[in-house]
Amino acid sequence: MENRQLHIDYEFYDSLSELPIRLQHLVGQSRKISAMGYAPYSRFRVGAAVLLSDGTVVLGNNQENASYPEGLCAERVAVFSAKANYPEQPIEAIAICSNPMDFSTSVPLAPCGACRQVLAEYENKDKKDITLLLTSLKGPIIQIKSVKALLPFQFSAENLTE
């Protein structure tokens, strides 16, 4: 037996003003769109802003349904919309903002497993790392340089061949 370890490198920003301007804008967009999430059941809204390589920003927010789990997370709404409308544009970054309705938090939350897998698919397809910016309506921002850091043992197209 061999004991192995993984570690995650990330950057921690105390405030929005510490980020480069274009990433400040992306985080701002994710915060704004989070307020429009449809979350009557979980009461936990999330917004996502996807930055494409040509500078286009595509927004999404969570969309719930009384028939769980038929809703969709903000990250997948934004990514699927981006890839449906701009299929040739690689994703540069995604800002994800948590915005609970019944309490206030300043803790940035990471995407769920399904969203990590979807982001990994496009990172692999486009052969380009996707920067993740995790935030809430206020407080610190966590920047992670690649989905691989959050999903090191991902399922990919290579798993479908002999």
Side-chain angles (χ1 to χ4, degrees):
M1 179 187 86
E2 180 181 343
N3 187 13
R4 297 180 181 189
Q5 296 180 359
L6 291 172
H7 75 278
I8 297 174
D9 290 323
Y10 63 94
E11 295 172 0
F12 188 89
Y13 297 90
D14 286 317
S15 70
L16 187 62
S17 63
E18 294 180 61
L19 287 170
I21 294 293
R22 81 181 187 140
L23 296 182
Q24 288 181 32
H25 175 70
L26 195 66
V27 168
Q29 291 292 316
S30 74
R31 288 176 171 174
K32 183 176 178 182
I33 196 70
S34 73
M36 293 179 256
Y38 180 67
Y41 308 105
S42 72
R43 303 195 48 79
F44 199 94
R45 297 175 298 203
V46 178
V50 171
L51 175 64
L52 301 178
S53 61
D54 69 352
T56 300
V57 174
V58 179
L59 304 176
N61 50 34
N62 57 323
Q63 300 295 313
E64 294 182 353
N65 190 290
S67 176
Y68 279 100
E70 299 308 320
L72 204 55
C73 298
E75 298 92 315
R76 285 179 279 159
V77 169
V79 167
F80 291 156
S81 179
K83 286 306 196 172
N85 290 289
Y86 308 95
E88 300 305 318
Q89 291 297 321
I91 298 170
E92 295 277 331
I94 182 169
I96 305 162
C97 175
S98 58
N99 182 356
M101 296 165 71
D102 296 329
F103 61 94
S104 179
T105 183
S106 61
V107 177
L109 300 177
C112 74
C115 289
R116 292 176 195 208
Q117 185 63 49
V118 166
L119 288 164
E121 179 73 18
Y122 290 109
E123 192 172 78
N124 292 330
K125 176 188 170 291
D126 293 333
K127 296 176 179 46
K128 181 166 184 21
D129 288 346
I130 297 172
T131 298
L132 295 99
L133 298 155
L134 311 178
T135 188
S136 60
L137 288 180
K138 60 183 179 186
I141 298 148
I142 293 174
Q143 181 176 348
I144 302 168
K145 297 291 186 179
S146 171
V147 179
K148 292 173 197 76
L150 290 180
L151 193 61
F153 297 108
Q154 59 189 253
F155 187 83
S156 68
E158 285 115 32
N159 299 114
L160 299 174
T161 61
E162 290 185 50

